[in-house]
Short mmCIF file of all heavy atoms in Angstrom, two decimals:
data_model
loop_
_atom_site.label_atom_id
_atom_site.label_comp_id
_atom_site.label_asym_id
_atom_site.label_seq_id
_atom_site.Cartn_x
_atom_site.Cartn_y
_atom_site.Cartn_z
N ALA A 154 4.86 190.11 -47.41
CA ALA A 154 6.11 189.66 -46.79
C ALA A 154 6.22 188.14 -46.82
O ALA A 154 7.30 187.58 -47.08
CB ALA A 154 6.20 190.18 -45.36
N ALA A 155 5.09 187.45 -46.54
CA ALA A 155 5.10 185.98 -46.56
C ALA A 155 5.38 185.46 -47.96
O ALA A 155 6.12 184.48 -48.13
CB ALA A 155 3.77 185.45 -46.03
N ALA A 156 4.79 186.09 -48.96
CA ALA A 156 5.00 185.67 -50.34
C ALA A 156 6.47 185.86 -50.74
O ALA A 156 7.05 185.01 -51.41
CB ALA A 156 4.09 186.45 -51.28
N GLU A 157 7.05 186.96 -50.30
CA GLU A 157 8.46 187.22 -50.61
C GLU A 157 9.36 186.21 -49.90
O GLU A 157 10.33 185.71 -50.49
CB GLU A 157 8.84 188.64 -50.19
CG GLU A 157 10.29 189.01 -50.42
CD GLU A 157 10.70 189.01 -51.88
OE1 GLU A 157 9.81 188.92 -52.75
OE2 GLU A 157 11.91 189.11 -52.15
N ALA A 158 9.03 185.88 -48.65
CA ALA A 158 9.82 184.89 -47.92
C ALA A 158 9.72 183.52 -48.59
O ALA A 158 10.72 182.81 -48.70
CB ALA A 158 9.33 184.81 -46.47
N ALA A 159 8.52 183.17 -49.05
CA ALA A 159 8.34 181.89 -49.73
C ALA A 159 9.12 181.87 -51.05
O ALA A 159 9.71 180.85 -51.41
CB ALA A 159 6.85 181.65 -49.99
N ARG A 160 9.12 182.99 -51.74
CA ARG A 160 9.86 183.07 -53.00
C ARG A 160 11.36 182.89 -52.76
O ARG A 160 12.04 182.15 -53.47
CB ARG A 160 9.61 184.42 -53.68
CG ARG A 160 10.23 184.54 -55.08
CD ARG A 160 10.18 185.97 -55.59
NE ARG A 160 11.05 186.85 -54.84
CZ ARG A 160 12.38 186.91 -55.01
NH1 ARG A 160 12.97 186.13 -55.90
NH2 ARG A 160 13.10 187.73 -54.28
N LEU A 161 11.88 183.56 -51.72
CA LEU A 161 13.30 183.45 -51.41
C LEU A 161 13.66 182.02 -50.98
O LEU A 161 14.73 181.51 -51.34
CB LEU A 161 13.67 184.44 -50.30
CG LEU A 161 13.61 185.93 -50.69
CD1 LEU A 161 13.85 186.80 -49.46
CD2 LEU A 161 14.61 186.26 -51.79
N ALA A 162 12.77 181.39 -50.18
CA ALA A 162 13.02 180.01 -49.74
C ALA A 162 13.04 179.06 -50.94
O ALA A 162 13.89 178.17 -51.03
CB ALA A 162 11.95 179.58 -48.74
N ALA A 163 12.08 179.25 -51.86
CA ALA A 163 12.03 178.41 -53.06
C ALA A 163 13.28 178.60 -53.92
O ALA A 163 13.83 177.64 -54.47
CB ALA A 163 10.77 178.71 -53.86
N GLU A 164 13.73 179.84 -54.02
CA GLU A 164 14.93 180.13 -54.79
C GLU A 164 16.17 179.48 -54.13
O GLU A 164 17.04 178.94 -54.82
CB GLU A 164 15.13 181.64 -54.90
CG GLU A 164 16.38 182.09 -55.65
CD GLU A 164 16.37 181.73 -57.12
OE1 GLU A 164 15.30 181.37 -57.64
OE2 GLU A 164 17.43 181.82 -57.75
N HIS A 165 16.21 179.55 -52.80
CA HIS A 165 17.33 178.94 -52.06
C HIS A 165 17.33 177.43 -52.27
O HIS A 165 18.40 176.83 -52.50
CB HIS A 165 17.19 179.29 -50.58
CG HIS A 165 18.32 178.78 -49.73
ND1 HIS A 165 19.61 179.23 -49.85
CD2 HIS A 165 18.34 177.84 -48.75
CE1 HIS A 165 20.39 178.62 -48.99
NE2 HIS A 165 19.64 177.76 -48.31
N GLN A 166 16.17 176.81 -52.20
CA GLN A 166 16.08 175.37 -52.39
C GLN A 166 16.45 174.98 -53.83
O GLN A 166 17.09 173.94 -54.05
CB GLN A 166 14.68 174.88 -52.05
CG GLN A 166 14.36 174.94 -50.57
CD GLN A 166 12.98 174.41 -50.23
OE1 GLN A 166 12.19 174.07 -51.12
NE2 GLN A 166 12.66 174.33 -48.96
N ARG A 167 16.07 175.82 -54.79
CA ARG A 167 16.43 175.53 -56.19
C ARG A 167 17.95 175.53 -56.36
O ARG A 167 18.51 174.67 -57.04
CB ARG A 167 15.80 176.56 -57.12
CG ARG A 167 16.05 176.28 -58.61
CD ARG A 167 15.71 177.47 -59.47
NE ARG A 167 16.55 178.63 -59.18
CZ ARG A 167 17.81 178.74 -59.59
NH1 ARG A 167 18.39 177.77 -60.29
NH2 ARG A 167 18.51 179.82 -59.28
N LYS A 168 18.62 176.48 -55.71
CA LYS A 168 20.08 176.55 -55.80
C LYS A 168 20.73 175.33 -55.15
O LYS A 168 21.74 174.82 -55.64
CB LYS A 168 20.58 177.83 -55.13
CG LYS A 168 20.23 179.10 -55.89
CD LYS A 168 20.75 180.34 -55.17
CE LYS A 168 20.40 181.60 -55.93
NZ LYS A 168 20.89 182.82 -55.22
N ILE A 169 20.14 174.85 -54.04
CA ILE A 169 20.66 173.64 -53.40
C ILE A 169 20.48 172.43 -54.32
O ILE A 169 21.39 171.60 -54.47
CB ILE A 169 19.98 173.41 -52.04
CG1 ILE A 169 20.37 174.52 -51.06
CG2 ILE A 169 20.36 172.04 -51.47
CD1 ILE A 169 19.67 174.43 -49.73
N LYS A 170 19.32 172.32 -54.94
CA LYS A 170 19.08 171.22 -55.87
C LYS A 170 20.10 171.19 -56.99
O LYS A 170 20.55 170.12 -57.43
CB LYS A 170 17.66 171.32 -56.46
CG LYS A 170 16.55 170.95 -55.51
CD LYS A 170 15.21 171.02 -56.22
CE LYS A 170 14.07 170.59 -55.30
NZ LYS A 170 12.76 170.62 -56.00
N ASP A 171 20.49 172.37 -57.45
CA ASP A 171 21.45 172.46 -58.56
C ASP A 171 22.84 171.97 -58.17
O ASP A 171 23.69 171.75 -59.05
CB ASP A 171 21.53 173.90 -59.06
CG ASP A 171 20.27 174.34 -59.79
OD1 ASP A 171 19.47 173.46 -60.17
OD2 ASP A 171 20.07 175.56 -59.96
N LEU A 172 23.10 171.79 -56.86
CA LEU A 172 24.41 171.33 -56.43
C LEU A 172 24.59 169.83 -56.62
O LEU A 172 25.71 169.32 -56.60
CB LEU A 172 24.63 171.65 -54.94
CG LEU A 172 24.66 173.13 -54.54
CD1 LEU A 172 24.81 173.23 -53.02
CD2 LEU A 172 25.79 173.87 -55.25
N PHE A 173 23.47 169.10 -56.82
CA PHE A 173 23.53 167.64 -56.86
C PHE A 173 22.94 167.09 -58.16
O PHE A 173 22.12 167.74 -58.81
CB PHE A 173 22.77 167.05 -55.66
CG PHE A 173 23.23 167.58 -54.33
CD1 PHE A 173 22.46 168.51 -53.63
CD2 PHE A 173 24.43 167.17 -53.79
CE1 PHE A 173 22.89 169.01 -52.41
CE2 PHE A 173 24.87 167.65 -52.56
CZ PHE A 173 24.10 168.58 -51.87
N VAL A 174 23.38 165.89 -58.50
CA VAL A 174 22.83 165.20 -59.67
C VAL A 174 22.13 163.93 -59.24
O VAL A 174 22.19 162.90 -59.90
CB VAL A 174 23.93 164.91 -60.72
CG1 VAL A 174 24.38 166.18 -61.39
CG2 VAL A 174 25.11 164.17 -60.09
N ALA A 175 21.49 163.98 -58.09
CA ALA A 175 20.81 162.82 -57.52
C ALA A 175 19.59 162.45 -58.36
O ALA A 175 19.07 163.25 -59.15
CB ALA A 175 20.39 163.13 -56.09
N THR A 176 19.11 161.21 -58.14
CA THR A 176 17.87 160.78 -58.77
C THR A 176 16.71 161.65 -58.32
O THR A 176 15.82 161.98 -59.10
CB THR A 176 17.57 159.31 -58.43
OG1 THR A 176 18.74 158.52 -58.69
CG2 THR A 176 16.41 158.78 -59.25
N GLY A 177 16.70 162.03 -57.04
CA GLY A 177 15.65 162.90 -56.51
C GLY A 177 16.19 163.78 -55.40
O GLY A 177 17.05 163.36 -54.63
N VAL A 178 15.69 165.01 -55.34
CA VAL A 178 16.05 165.96 -54.29
C VAL A 178 14.77 166.56 -53.74
O VAL A 178 13.97 167.13 -54.50
CB VAL A 178 16.97 167.09 -54.81
CG1 VAL A 178 17.39 168.00 -53.66
CG2 VAL A 178 18.18 166.53 -55.53
N GLU A 179 14.54 166.44 -52.44
CA GLU A 179 13.33 166.98 -51.82
C GLU A 179 13.69 167.68 -50.52
O GLU A 179 14.78 167.50 -49.97
CB GLU A 179 12.32 165.86 -51.54
CG GLU A 179 11.78 165.17 -52.79
CD GLU A 179 10.76 164.10 -52.47
OE1 GLU A 179 10.58 163.81 -51.26
OE2 GLU A 179 10.15 163.56 -53.41
N PHE A 180 12.72 168.49 -50.02
CA PHE A 180 12.90 169.18 -48.75
C PHE A 180 11.67 168.91 -47.88
O PHE A 180 10.54 168.94 -48.38
CB PHE A 180 13.05 170.69 -48.95
CG PHE A 180 14.28 171.08 -49.72
CD1 PHE A 180 14.28 171.09 -51.11
CD2 PHE A 180 15.45 171.42 -49.06
CE1 PHE A 180 15.42 171.42 -51.82
CE2 PHE A 180 16.59 171.76 -49.75
CZ PHE A 180 16.58 171.76 -51.14
N ASP A 181 11.91 168.62 -46.60
CA ASP A 181 10.76 168.41 -45.72
C ASP A 181 10.33 169.73 -45.09
O ASP A 181 10.93 170.78 -45.36
CB ASP A 181 11.06 167.35 -44.65
CG ASP A 181 12.17 167.77 -43.68
OD1 ASP A 181 12.50 168.97 -43.61
OD2 ASP A 181 12.70 166.90 -42.98
N ILE A 182 9.29 169.68 -44.26
CA ILE A 182 8.72 170.90 -43.69
C ILE A 182 9.71 171.63 -42.79
O ILE A 182 9.60 172.84 -42.57
CB ILE A 182 7.41 170.56 -42.93
CG1 ILE A 182 6.64 171.85 -42.62
CG2 ILE A 182 7.72 169.78 -41.65
CD1 ILE A 182 5.25 171.58 -42.09
N GLU A 183 10.70 170.91 -42.26
CA GLU A 183 11.70 171.51 -41.40
C GLU A 183 12.89 172.05 -42.18
O GLU A 183 13.84 172.58 -41.59
CB GLU A 183 12.18 170.48 -40.37
CG GLU A 183 11.07 170.02 -39.43
CD GLU A 183 11.54 168.94 -38.48
OE1 GLU A 183 12.68 168.45 -38.66
OE2 GLU A 183 10.77 168.59 -37.57
N GLY A 184 12.85 171.91 -43.50
CA GLY A 184 13.93 172.42 -44.33
C GLY A 184 15.07 171.44 -44.54
O GLY A 184 16.07 171.78 -45.19
N ARG A 185 14.96 170.22 -44.01
CA ARG A 185 16.01 169.22 -44.24
C ARG A 185 15.96 168.76 -45.69
O ARG A 185 14.90 168.64 -46.29
CB ARG A 185 15.85 168.02 -43.32
CG ARG A 185 15.91 168.35 -41.84
CD ARG A 185 15.99 167.08 -41.01
NE ARG A 185 15.00 166.09 -41.41
CZ ARG A 185 15.01 164.82 -41.03
NH1 ARG A 185 15.98 164.37 -40.26
NH2 ARG A 185 14.06 163.99 -41.42
N VAL A 186 17.14 168.47 -46.25
CA VAL A 186 17.21 168.02 -47.63
C VAL A 186 17.29 166.50 -47.65
O VAL A 186 17.91 165.88 -46.78
CB VAL A 186 18.43 168.64 -48.35
CG1 VAL A 186 19.74 168.22 -47.70
CG2 VAL A 186 18.43 168.26 -49.82
N ALA A 187 16.63 165.89 -48.62
CA ALA A 187 16.68 164.44 -48.81
C ALA A 187 17.17 164.17 -50.23
O ALA A 187 16.61 164.68 -51.20
CB ALA A 187 15.30 163.82 -48.59
N LEU A 188 18.23 163.38 -50.34
CA LEU A 188 18.82 163.02 -51.63
C LEU A 188 18.68 161.52 -51.84
O LEU A 188 18.99 160.73 -50.95
CB LEU A 188 20.31 163.38 -51.66
CG LEU A 188 20.70 164.82 -51.32
CD1 LEU A 188 22.21 164.96 -51.32
CD2 LEU A 188 20.07 165.81 -52.30
N GLU A 189 18.19 161.14 -53.01
CA GLU A 189 18.07 159.72 -53.34
C GLU A 189 18.94 159.41 -54.56
O GLU A 189 18.91 160.14 -55.56
CB GLU A 189 16.62 159.35 -53.64
CG GLU A 189 16.44 157.88 -53.99
CD GLU A 189 15.00 157.52 -54.32
OE1 GLU A 189 14.21 157.40 -53.37
OE2 GLU A 189 14.69 157.37 -55.52
N TYR A 190 19.71 158.33 -54.43
CA TYR A 190 20.55 157.85 -55.54
C TYR A 190 20.13 156.42 -55.85
O TYR A 190 20.47 155.49 -55.11
CB TYR A 190 22.02 157.92 -55.14
CG TYR A 190 22.52 159.33 -54.95
CD1 TYR A 190 22.37 159.97 -53.72
CD2 TYR A 190 23.11 160.04 -55.99
CE1 TYR A 190 22.80 161.27 -53.54
CE2 TYR A 190 23.54 161.35 -55.82
CZ TYR A 190 23.38 161.96 -54.59
OH TYR A 190 23.79 163.26 -54.41
N ASN A 191 19.39 156.26 -56.93
CA ASN A 191 18.95 154.94 -57.36
C ASN A 191 19.88 154.49 -58.48
O ASN A 191 19.73 154.91 -59.63
CB ASN A 191 17.50 154.99 -57.83
CG ASN A 191 16.93 153.61 -58.10
OD1 ASN A 191 17.67 152.61 -58.11
ND2 ASN A 191 15.64 153.53 -58.34
N PHE A 192 20.86 153.67 -58.13
CA PHE A 192 21.87 153.27 -59.11
C PHE A 192 21.36 152.20 -60.06
O PHE A 192 21.94 152.00 -61.13
CB PHE A 192 23.12 152.77 -58.38
CG PHE A 192 23.80 153.82 -57.55
CD1 PHE A 192 23.77 153.75 -56.17
CD2 PHE A 192 24.43 154.90 -58.15
CE1 PHE A 192 24.39 154.71 -55.39
CE2 PHE A 192 25.05 155.87 -57.38
CZ PHE A 192 25.04 155.78 -56.00
N GLU A 193 20.30 151.51 -59.67
CA GLU A 193 19.77 150.47 -60.55
C GLU A 193 19.13 151.13 -61.77
O GLU A 193 18.26 151.99 -61.66
CB GLU A 193 18.74 149.62 -59.81
CG GLU A 193 18.38 148.35 -60.56
CD GLU A 193 17.59 147.38 -59.71
OE1 GLU A 193 16.87 147.83 -58.80
OE2 GLU A 193 17.71 146.17 -59.93
N GLY A 194 19.56 150.72 -62.93
CA GLY A 194 19.09 151.33 -64.16
C GLY A 194 20.23 151.92 -64.96
O GLY A 194 20.10 152.23 -66.14
N GLY A 195 21.38 152.10 -64.30
CA GLY A 195 22.56 152.48 -65.03
C GLY A 195 22.69 153.94 -65.40
O GLY A 195 23.45 154.27 -66.31
N GLU A 196 21.97 154.83 -64.71
CA GLU A 196 22.13 156.26 -64.97
C GLU A 196 23.45 156.71 -64.35
O GLU A 196 23.51 157.09 -63.18
CB GLU A 196 20.95 157.05 -64.39
CG GLU A 196 21.02 158.55 -64.62
CD GLU A 196 21.27 158.92 -66.06
OE1 GLU A 196 20.46 158.54 -66.93
OE2 GLU A 196 22.30 159.57 -66.33
N GLN A 197 24.50 156.68 -65.16
CA GLN A 197 25.84 156.84 -64.62
C GLN A 197 26.16 158.25 -64.16
O GLN A 197 27.09 158.46 -63.37
CB GLN A 197 26.88 156.38 -65.67
CG GLN A 197 26.73 154.91 -66.02
CD GLN A 197 27.88 154.37 -66.86
OE1 GLN A 197 28.90 155.02 -67.02
NE2 GLN A 197 27.70 153.17 -67.40
N SER A 198 25.40 159.24 -64.59
CA SER A 198 25.68 160.62 -64.19
C SER A 198 25.51 160.83 -62.69
O SER A 198 26.18 161.68 -62.10
CB SER A 198 24.77 161.59 -64.95
OG SER A 198 23.41 161.38 -64.61
N ILE A 199 24.63 160.04 -62.04
CA ILE A 199 24.38 160.27 -60.61
C ILE A 199 25.55 159.83 -59.75
O ILE A 199 25.59 160.15 -58.56
CB ILE A 199 23.08 159.58 -60.14
CG1 ILE A 199 23.19 158.06 -60.23
CG2 ILE A 199 21.88 160.09 -60.91
CD1 ILE A 199 22.00 157.34 -59.64
N ALA A 200 26.52 159.13 -60.32
CA ALA A 200 27.71 158.75 -59.55
C ALA A 200 28.66 159.93 -59.38
O ALA A 200 29.62 159.84 -58.62
CB ALA A 200 28.44 157.60 -60.24
#
């Protein structure tokens, strides 16, 4: 059951990541999402 819950959580987080084009997308232990946009370098897609 724990393995299945972890699989579902990972799948849910993957779907959330796919919503953004940020430089980085991470999740903390509480499930909060962190998005980083590093504009320096000219990667225009992240805008």
Side-chain angles (χ1 to χ4, degrees):
E157 178 64 10
R160 186 191 68 78
L161 292 174
E164 178 66 14
H165 183 65
Q166 290 182 355
R167 184 194 63 76
K168 290 179 180 179
I169 293 176
K170 286 183 178 182
D171 290 344
L172 297 177
F173 306 105
V174 289
T176 310
V178 184
E179 296 181 353
F180 296 85
D181 64 17
I182 193 170
E183 297 176 352
R185 300 190 312 167
V186 62
L188 306 176
E189 180 181 284
Y190 294 86
N191 188 350
F192 297 110
E193 192 168 29
E196 180 51 59
Q197 298 190 12
S198 64
I199 65 174

